């Protein structure tokens, strides 16, 4: 009798797994567009820097880092407008996309939480650093800090939104991509110049001083940030297309 | 040799038979299907669920009522344009119940597989 019950249980489990996969595909097959949107916004922010990819001998960065990374901006106000208009526009696009998918497929993703997180952190940023110009505080240029002020960057709201998007879309890749953006941003923005290894790291490496990395420009770092998002978007789109064909 | 019966774990000192853990509300095949679909989406439309499981409106409604009364799902009604739409969402209790059910089923299968591959002495 037990063997019959086990066979039935195994059959039920297999059917449930099939149903789960089908629903997963139907629900989360649209994660590629928001991921692509965030990647495009990140890459578009290259236009905010005076030398996004080319070499330079010195950096005159304005603080807070409204362009995103601590480097010379074309105009701090333009950077400010870019993020404070671009980020809400991205979430508006996301809302339209998910509303269309809900009508077409009959399932909803918890996207309002993604928008609330991204916009919430962006508003906090506006509250903490309302003035878009000024020289880099002396503390930020020292290896021993304080560095926390560097975290007032519009890249972190985006990173937080990507992590929440990953949770909503049940995508470990997106969660990791958001974590990667946050990690790179935190490292780059709490050290100056760009890519400077902080004091605690030089202690860990036996006191070796590495200095700043002027050869890697903001554009290179932004590509590094966007790369995991582009990979996740490509994989998600490929899987969605294959599922649509089958 | 008598097999351990469900519901007598304390008599043998062994862990409870997985069949005793199965929840009557959740274990029903259609209701398991409903919970599985809802576990993958934040919210699912009534019509989508009905079509996915190949049920009639009345049949699905009957199962939804049972699950809603058990606190395993939430029903909300709204409009898409002028069309009324019913959205269904799994509650935290529903997710926990589904997880427990699937775990019990997996245990049941694994227990029997072990017994088949490794029969007790004197049994082939």
């Amino acid at each position: 009798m037990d063997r019959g019950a086990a066979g039935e249980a195994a059959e039920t489990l297999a059917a449930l797994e099939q149903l789960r996969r089908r629903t997963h595909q139907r629900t989360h097959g649209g994660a590629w567009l928001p991921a692509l949107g965030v990647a495009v916004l990140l890459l578009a922010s290259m236009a905010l820097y005076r030398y996004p990819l080319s070499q330079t001998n010195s950096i005159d960065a304005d603080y807070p880092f409204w362009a995103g990374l601590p480097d010379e901006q074309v105009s701090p106000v333009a950077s400010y407008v870019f993020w404070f208009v671009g980020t809400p526009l991205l979430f508006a696009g996301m809302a339209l996309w998910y509303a269309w998918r809900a009508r077409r497929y009959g399932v909803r993703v918890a996207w309002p939480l993604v928008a609330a997180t991204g916009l919430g952190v962006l508003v906090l940023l506006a509250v903490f650093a309302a003035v878009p110009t000024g020289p880099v505080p002396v503390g930020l240029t020292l290896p021993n800090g304080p560095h926390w002020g560097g975290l007032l960057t519009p890249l972190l709201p985006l990173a937080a939104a990507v992590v929440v998007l990953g949770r909503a879309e049940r995508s470990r890749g997106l969660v990791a991509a958001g974590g990667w953006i946050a990690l790179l941003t935190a490292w780059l923005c709490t050290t100056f110049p760009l890519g400077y290894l902080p004091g605690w790291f030089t202690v860990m490496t036996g006191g070796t001083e590495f200095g700043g990395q002027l050869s890697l420009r903001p554009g290179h770092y932004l590509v590094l940030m966007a790369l995991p998002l582009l990979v996740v978007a490509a994989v998600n789109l490929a899987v969605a297309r294959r599922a649509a064909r089958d | 040799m008598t097999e351990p019966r469900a519901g007598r774990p304390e008599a043998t000192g062994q862990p409870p038979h997985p069949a005793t853990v199965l929840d009557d509300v959740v274990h029903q095949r259609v209701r398991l299907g409903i919970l599985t679909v809802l576990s993958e989406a934040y919210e699912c439309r009534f019509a989508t669920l009905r079509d996915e499981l190949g049920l009639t409106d009345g049949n699905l409604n009957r199962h939804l009522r049972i699950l809603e009364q058990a606190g395993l799902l939430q029903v909300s009604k709204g409009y898409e344009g002028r069309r009324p739409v019913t959205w269904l969402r799994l509650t935290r209790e529903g997710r926990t119940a589904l997880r427990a059910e699937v775990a019990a089923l997996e245990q049941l299968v694994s227990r029997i597989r072990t017994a088949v591959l490794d029969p007790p002495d004197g049994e082939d």
Side-chain angles (χ1 to χ4, degrees), chain A residues 141-238:
Chain A
T141 64
L142 297 173
N144 295 326
H147 304 294
W148 69 269
L151 295 177
L152 298 175
T153 160
L155 289 175
L156 283 185
L158 211 56
V162 172
V163 171
V164 179
L165 178 68
R167 297 269 302 160
E169 289 283 12
R170 313 270 168 89
S171 162
R172 286 194 192 118
L174 276 177
V175 173
W180 171 241
I181 296 171
L183 206 69
L184 261 183
T185 303
W187 170 49
L188 295 169
C189 290
T190 53
T191 60
F192 188 86
L194 205 67
Y196 189 93
L197 292 170
W200 58 264
F201 189 84
T202 56
V203 170
M204 274 174 57
T205 53
T208 315
E209 189 66 60
F210 289 96
Q213 294 292 316
L214 291 183
S215 54
L216 280 179
R217 308 294 302 127
H220 300 122
Y221 285 115
L222 288 167
V223 169
L224 276 179
M225 285 181 190
L227 212 54
L229 286 168
L230 293 172
V231 171
V232 170
V235 170
N236 184 267
L237 183 60

Side-chain angles (χ1 to χ4, degrees), chain B residues 5 30 36 43 61 95:
Chain B
R5 271 202 350 238
V30 172
T36 301
E43 281 183 321
N61 254 326
R95 197 169 293 279

Side-chain angles (χ1 to χ4, degrees), chain A residues 1-13 15-17 19-28 99 101-112 168 170, chain B residues 3-4 17 27 29 32-34 36-46 48 52-53 76 80 83 87 95 98 101-102 105-106 108-109 111-113 115-116 123-124:
Chain A
M1 185 191 93
D2 247 6
R3 286 185 194 183
E8 200 183 308
E11 226 173 78
T12 305
L13 282 172
L16 290 181
E17 179 55 20
L19 187 60
R20 191 196 66 76
R21 278 172 195 260
R22 216 165 42 228
T23 314
H24 181 91
Q25 193 46 50
R26 183 199 288 260
T27 310
H28 304 295
R101 281 188 64 85
R103 274 197 308 275
R104 182 167 162 79
Y105 295 105
V107 277
R108 279 178 176 163
V109 172
W111 70 264
R170 313 270 168 89
Chain B
E3 289 179 2
H17 192 283
H27 186 61
R29 216 175 155 85
L32 258 179
I34 293 171
T36 301
V37 170
L38 295 183
S39 73
E40 274 301 320
Y42 175 63
E43 281 183 321
C44 181
R45 206 190 279 150
F46 178 93
T48 304
E52 180 66 48
L53 299 174
S76 59
E80 255 175 26
R83 206 161 46 118
W87 289 97
R95 197 169 293 279
L98 176 65
E101 184 71 16
V102 170
L105 287 172
E106 280 168 349
L108 189 65
V109 173
R111 188 180 171 122
I112 304 306
R113 278 199 184 130
V116 169
E123 197 181 308
D124 209 313

Side-chain angles (χ1 to χ4, degrees), chain B residues 55-123:
Chain B
L55 301 170
T56 62
D57 283 1
N59 199 353
L60 178 57
N61 254 326
R62 195 164 53 83
H63 289 294
L64 289 180
R65 212 170 304 132
I66 293 169
L67 291 170
E68 193 185 11
Q69 277 168 1
L72 303 183
L73 64 81
Q74 275 178 354
V75 180
S76 59
K77 292 177 190 294
Y79 283 90
E80 255 175 26
R82 288 182 182 176
R83 206 161 46 118
V85 182
T86 303
W87 289 97
L88 309 160
R89 189 196 301 188
L90 198 64
T91 60
R92 191 184 295 266
E93 291 78 15
R95 197 169 293 279
T96 307
L98 176 65
R99 216 173 275 154
E101 184 71 16
V102 170
L105 287 172
E106 280 168 349
Q107 265 182 22
L108 189 65
V109 173
S110 132
R111 188 180 171 122
I112 304 306
R113 278 199 184 130
T114 311
V116 169
L117 293 173
D118 188 18
D121 291 342
E123 197 181 308

Side-chain angles (χ1 to χ4, degrees), chain A residues 33-91:
Chain A
L33 193 65
L36 188 66
V38 176
V40 166
L41 192 68
L42 278 174
L43 294 175
S45 75
M46 270 192 220
L48 304 175
Y49 300 92
R50 194 170 299 280
Y51 311 108
L53 295 163
S54 56
Q55 298 295 313
T56 179
N57 293 321
S58 67
I59 297 169
D60 183 18
D62 290 302
Y63 173 81
F65 307 130
W66 289 116
L69 294 175
D71 210 277
E72 200 162 328
Q73 308 171 55
V74 175
S75 153
V77 177
S79 304
Y80 186 86
V81 170
F82 174 87
W83 289 110
F84 278 84
V85 173
T87 309
L89 274 181
L90 174 74
F91 292 133

